[in-house]
Amino acid sequence: MYFTDRGIEELEARRGEEQVSFAWLAEQLRFFVDLNPEFETPVERLATWLARLDDDEPAGPAD
């Protein structure tokens, strides 16, 4: 189990039944990066990965 799995499990347990818009999620990610600028690159990579999930190319690791 990765360390991040605990956070993902907590998110699912606490908010798994909620529905949110991607606009809301984008705003929360911006707010998080404003508070934690050292996480700008990982958040950017996650957002890009989520945005491109439906692309024809496989969504693999970023270069």
Side-chain angles (χ1 to χ4, degrees):
M1 173 184 284
Y2 291 105
F3 178 75
T4 54
D5 287 348
R6 289 186 280 186
I8 294 168
E9 288 174 358
E10 181 179 352
L11 174 63
E12 185 176 21
R14 288 177 174 242
R15 304 191 76 163
E17 299 298 319
E18 294 180 30
Q19 293 185 12
V20 300
S21 70
F22 278 102
W24 179 89
L25 176 60
E27 186 171 332
Q28 299 311 310
L29 290 172
R30 286 186 197 101
F31 184 67
F32 177 81
V33 170
D34 286 346
L35 295 174
N36 304 279
E38 66 273 20
F39 291 107
E40 180 179 6
T41 299
V43 169
E44 177 67 22
R45 288 183 181 170
L46 174 61
T48 301
W49 182 78
L50 288 171
R52 297 176 183 174
L53 278 176
D54 290 338
D55 285 359
D56 291 337
E57 307 243 345
D63 292 327

